[in-house]
Amino acid sequence: MRVLWVALDWGTTNLSAYVIGKDNQILQRLQSDKGMSQLDPEKFEPALLDGIGPWLRNDEITPVIACGMIGAQQGWLEAPYAVAPCLPVTAESVVTVPTKDPRISVQIVPGVCQRAPDDVMRGEETQIAGYLADHHGFGGVFCLPGKHSKWVRVADGQIRNFTTFMTGEMFGLLSNQSILRHCVGGSEWDDAAFVKSVEAAVRDPAGLTAKLFSLRPQALLNGTPSGTLKATLSGFLIGTELAAARQIWDRRDIVIVGDRENARLYKTALATLGKAALTYDSDSAIVQGLRPIAELAHCEFQVT
Amino acid sequence: MRVLWVALDWGTTNLSAYVIGKDNQILQRLQSDKGMSQLDPEKFEPALLDGIGPWLRNDEITPVIACGMIGAQQGWLEAPYAVAPCLPVTAESVVTVPTKDPRISVQIVPGVCQRAPDDVMRGEETQIAGYLADHHGFGGVFCLPGKHSKWVRVADGQIRNFTTFMTGEMFGLLSNQSILRHCVGGSEWDDAAFVKSVEAAVRDPAGLTAKLFSLRPQALLNGTPSGTLKATLSGFLIGTELAAARQIWDRRDIVIVGDRENARLYKTALATLGKAALTYDSDSAIVQGLRPIAELAHCEFQVT
């Protein structure tokens, strides 16, 4: 099967590569822990070739289009932020990375920043572009859950403004590194506890840091199971986020772009507040978002 | 100088030992990282003797009175919680630890728990007892800042109810382990930024997790100095705590019992909200709180 181009979501801690064939079919999805922060500058190209090397052909140049933290100042090559309000991805703002291997041409899509209030994204703009490519004229709010979840208002094809919450990273820190790690371990999960804690957080979002500690006495005094407490921790954090983001999503259409589990949790949490939301797969969104850049690159290479 | 007894504040990650002489003078304060969680059960006594060994005499038994996580289920010997409302420390509830060294007699003061809402403390009850020993008849609220800061309502010498906030632990996790570690390092500090962020948090305590992320774009886009961002991080967390705890402290006298730096921050933050608070040194509070137990122990040993 012939590879036409490669899409990369290259973040701080992970690299996802999507090998794309005819009709934009994903031939393979490669996953590695060679995130931007783990690599010295001269290691980016070898890390990339480690993954996609077997797919490359010697008789042509394969376009590799990347988004994410790889375009940060400390990344492979800085792709300076577009400033909102702006289109999520444009061909003019893409930067081309000098590479040694003649079989690839690497381009990086920049992130988007916002001033007053200051905020930044790298990668999410591509997911938004991907959804919009499939749904021309959509106006509303994107919820992009993850380590740093983002709520992004979109109108007329443009990112108007956005807000980032540390929800996912806090869940990771609290469940793996804090005193709560003793009581939220394991793979169990309790959906009812999740819903209950979303409701509790929405009733009193200011009380988050006291709610978080409360998991410990619940374990110590009542022996509450870890699956219940893990779902409660998640519900407290996501519920607080929904409460704080309410003025962004209230009375607007919401599309959640994320992995299956995150999308399910946010959809459930929003439903708890009586709000419907669509979900859209983040892998498809990345590929659709980078595809126009790849098609431009491909035209060039076909011509030469 | 003759040691009369030893006070221990033995927490999860640290051990503080206060060697006490005549007139309850602190002859030495020993500090070690041999916290409860770092030690196997058979290591507690050696860890204690490592520190205080040089002070012990062969011709008499020195009472060692401890509070803190050392009395937890995973500690040296469990001292079951007293249940609030209750006196902070009573002689009847103290447990005696079997020890091998004939020169010491070790007793542990239990913590206090609360049901519905569930909460727990170990160590703070002793600090409260210490302040009350010096200030009979005090009624009001104690603020005990730290890794897990506590707000404790006291009336008629009793702990009535309390709430714990994860403020200190979250500050540690966020400044050392999260993405924010890149922008809040160093020893600089900015008092004006602290006050400003306390005010911002009090205006919108529900927005904490978005406020936390906002430090990163401030560093990336504006080059805001790390001392300013560190103080801002602290102010966001403490301000959110003060907002959530307002119904506890509003219209009541507040005593902050903590180390000098924490006490100063909470006093400043409360002053920002127009609320005065007294401060009281936590070392003195520990020693004063354990002293009645030591005196009882000493009487016994003097008699035998």
Side-chain angles (χ1 to χ4, degrees):
Chain A
M1 285 178 297
R2 189 173 157 220
V3 50
L4 289 182
W5 65 285
V6 176
L8 301 182
D9 181 11
W10 204 332
T12 307
T13 51
N14 288 291
L15 165 58
S16 300
Y18 307 85
V19 178
I20 314 291
K22 220 180 118 186
D23 300 328
N24 278 289
Q25 196 194 340
I26 299 179
L27 304 178
Q28 192 171 14
R29 179 174 187 247
L30 302 156
Q31 192 73 22
S32 119
D33 58 1
K34 287 180 181 158
M36 178 274 267
S37 66
Q38 273 83 56
L39 298 171
D40 291 323
E42 74 278 8
K43 302 286 187 197
F44 287 114
E45 188 169 343
L48 172 60
L49 291 170
D50 264 3
I52 67 165
W55 287 92
L56 301 178
R57 291 166 53 145
N58 291 327
D59 59 349
E60 64 178 24
I61 298 171
T62 302
V64 177
I65 318 295
C67 66
M69 288 298 288
I70 194 69
Q73 212 169 12
Q74 299 81 19
W76 196 352
L77 182 71
E78 185 177 6
Y81 292 112
V83 183
C86 61
L87 294 169
V89 173
T90 62
E92 301 75 47
S93 60
V94 164
V95 299
T96 301
V97 185
T99 46
K100 288 176 190 159
D101 194 303
R103 297 171 299 169
I104 52 172
S105 152
V106 177
Q107 292 183 295
I108 302 178
V109 166
V112 173
C113 76
Q114 169 182 277
R115 308 307 305 249
D118 298 333
D119 213 331
V120 289
M121 65 168 75
R122 281 198 186 272
E124 292 85 356
E125 74 295 326
T126 299
Q127 299 183 29
I128 291 168
Y131 182 85
L132 294 178
D134 262 3
H135 304 81
H136 293 288
F138 170 80
V141 175
F142 287 90
C143 165
L144 303 119
K147 206 166 168 182
H148 304 139
S149 67
K150 298 190 188 278
W151 290 82
V152 185
R153 197 161 72 75
V154 167
D156 305 322
Q158 289 198 322
I159 292 176
R160 309 302 293 209
N161 50 52
F162 60 102
T163 306
T164 307
F165 296 81
M166 280 191 83
T167 307
E169 184 164 15
M170 282 182 56
F171 180 78
L173 289 171
L174 291 166
S175 48
N176 298 318
Q177 319 256 27
S178 85
I179 195 172
L180 303 180
R181 70 186 184 280
H182 304 297
C183 61
V184 301
S187 59
E188 300 297 308
W189 182 264
D190 179 340
D191 262 328
F194 175 76
V195 166
K196 212 172 130 188
S197 58
V198 166
E199 290 168 342
V202 168
R203 273 196 305 275
D204 171 32
L208 177 65
T209 56
K211 284 193 182 62
L212 294 176
F213 185 81
S214 75
L215 301 183
R216 183 167 162 75
Q218 281 179 53
L220 285 175
L221 304 179
N222 306 328
T224 308
S226 61
T228 299
L229 295 179
K230 185 161 70 172
T232 303
L233 171 60
S234 176
F236 282 157
L237 288 166
I238 292 176
T240 302
E241 176 184 332
L242 294 190
R246 192 190 283 267
Q247 62 175 10
I248 308 174
W249 56 258
D250 215 13
R251 292 190 302 267
R252 293 198 175 99
D253 291 338
I254 302 177
V255 178
I256 303 167
V257 183
D259 61 49
R260 189 176 301 189
E261 185 53 18
N262 265 324
R264 187 184 77 85
L265 289 180
Y266 276 75
K267 192 181 165 81
T268 304
L270 282 162
T272 302
L273 308 188
K275 180 76 181 179
L278 296 172
T279 61
Y280 190 74
D281 175 61
S282 52
D283 286 348
S284 310
I286 291 282
V287 173
Q288 294 296 353
L290 295 178
R291 182 176 134 180
I293 311 296
E295 285 171 350
L296 279 174
H298 221 274
C299 291
E300 284 175 40
F301 300 129
Q302 298 298 71
V303 170
T304 54
Chain B
M1 285 178 297
R2 190 175 155 217
V3 50
L4 288 182
W5 64 287
V6 176
L8 301 182
D9 181 10
W10 204 334
T12 307
T13 51
N14 287 293
L15 165 58
S16 300
Y18 307 84
V19 178
I20 314 289
K22 223 180 118 187
D23 299 327
N24 278 288
Q25 195 195 342
I26 300 179
L27 304 178
Q28 191 170 15
R29 180 173 186 247
L30 302 155
Q31 192 73 23
S32 119
D33 58 1
K34 289 181 179 156
M36 177 273 265
S37 67
Q38 272 84 53
L39 298 170
D40 291 325
E42 74 277 10
K43 301 287 186 195
F44 288 114
E45 188 170 341
L48 173 61
L49 292 169
D50 264 2
I52 68 165
W55 287 93
L56 301 177
R57 292 166 53 146
N58 291 325
D59 59 349
E60 66 179 24
I61 298 173
T62 301
V64 177
I65 318 294
C67 67
M69 288 298 287
I70 194 69
Q73 212 168 11
Q74 299 80 18
W76 196 352
L77 182 72
E78 185 177 6
Y81 292 112
V83 184
C86 62
L87 293 169
V89 173
T90 62
E92 302 75 49
S93 59
V94 164
V95 299
T96 301
V97 185
T99 46
K100 289 176 190 158
D101 193 303
R103 296 173 300 168
I104 53 172
S105 152
V106 177
Q107 292 183 296
I108 302 178
V109 167
V112 173
C113 74
Q114 169 183 279
R115 309 308 304 250
D118 298 333
D119 213 329
V120 289
M121 66 169 74
R122 282 198 186 271
E124 292 86 356
E125 74 296 326
T126 299
Q127 299 183 30
I128 291 168
Y131 182 85
L132 294 177
D134 262 4
H135 304 81
H136 293 288
F138 170 81
V141 175
F142 287 91
C143 165
L144 303 118
K147 204 166 170 183
H148 305 136
S149 68
K150 299 191 186 276
W151 290 82
V152 186
R153 197 161 70 76
V154 167
D156 306 321
Q158 289 198 323
I159 292 175
R160 309 302 293 208
N161 51 54
F162 60 101
T163 306
T164 306
F165 296 81
M166 280 189 83
T167 306
E169 184 164 17
M170 282 182 58
F171 180 79
L173 289 170
L174 291 166
S175 47
N176 298 317
Q177 319 253 29
S178 84
I179 195 173
L180 303 181
R181 71 186 182 280
H182 304 298
C183 61
V184 301
S187 59
E188 300 296 307
W189 182 265
D190 179 340
D191 261 328
F194 176 76
V195 166
K196 212 172 131 187
S197 58
V198 167
E199 290 168 343
V202 168
R203 273 196 305 276
D204 172 32
L208 177 66
T209 56
K211 284 192 181 62
L212 295 176
F213 185 80
S214 74
L215 302 183
R216 184 168 160 74
Q218 282 179 52
L220 284 176
L221 304 180
N222 305 328
T224 307
S226 61
T228 298
L229 295 178
K230 184 160 71 171
T232 302
L233 172 60
S234 176
F236 282 157
L237 288 166
I238 293 176
T240 303
E241 177 184 333
L242 293 191
R246 192 189 285 267
Q247 62 175 10
I248 308 173
W249 57 257
D250 216 12
R251 293 190 301 267
R252 293 198 174 99
D253 291 337
I254 303 177
V255 178
I256 303 166
V257 184
D259 62 49
R260 190 176 300 188
E261 184 52 19
N262 265 323
R264 185 184 78 84
L265 288 180
Y266 276 75
K267 192 180 165 82
T268 304
L270 282 162
T272 301
L273 309 187
K275 181 75 182 180
L278 295 173
T279 61
Y280 189 75
D281 175 62
S282 52
D283 286 348
S284 309
I286 291 282
V287 173
Q288 294 295 353
L290 295 177
R291 182 176 133 180
I293 311 298
E295 285 171 350
L296 279 173
H298 221 275
C299 291
E300 283 174 40
F301 299 130
Q302 296 299 69
V303 169
T304 54

